[in-house]
Amino acid sequence: MGNEIGQKIFNYIALLKKTNDELVNTLKECVKLLDQFIESVPDPEGWRNLMEVFKETIQIGERMTVEKTLH
């Protein structure tokens, strides 16, 4: 029974990792699209700051995938 619970936990963690990977990929695509609008927004500096936050988030997500961090 302990092994079954361990396997379920492992499967859950693997699913979370896959979900994180998909979210990071989706955010990357969104940032690519949003980068095109910097010239037409009312607050370009605020827009750049927002894009930097998104890019930092992507880097963290990618680093977690590469390092395969499990807690």
Side-chain angles (χ1 to χ4, degrees), residues 13-63:
I13 292 170
L15 182 61
L16 288 175
K17 181 191 171 302
K18 184 176 179 182
T19 301
N20 183 65
D21 292 345
E22 290 299 319
L23 289 170
V24 169
N25 288 333
T26 300
L27 183 57
K28 285 166 86 173
E29 291 301 314
C30 290
V31 168
K32 282 181 194 177
L33 292 171
L34 292 172
D35 269 341
Q36 299 174 32
F37 296 100
I38 195 162
E39 300 301 323
S40 61
V41 297
D43 180 12
E45 187 60 32
W47 191 262
R48 279 188 203 90
N49 291 338
L50 180 62
M51 293 297 103
E52 285 305 312
V53 169
F54 287 154
K55 290 174 184 177
E56 289 171 10
T57 303
I58 290 167
Q59 289 176 346
I60 291 168
E62 289 176 333
R63 189 170 54 238

Side-chain angles (χ1 to χ4, degrees), residues 5 7 25 43 56-57 68-71:
I5 291 172
Q7 186 61 44
N25 288 333
D43 180 12
E56 289 171 10
T57 303
K68 295 182 177 156
T69 305
L70 293 177
H71 297 281

Side-chain angles (χ1 to χ4, degrees), residues 1-11:
M1 181 151 175
N3 191 29
E4 183 180 318
I5 291 172
Q7 186 61 44
K8 286 182 179 182
I9 291 171
F10 179 81
N11 291 343

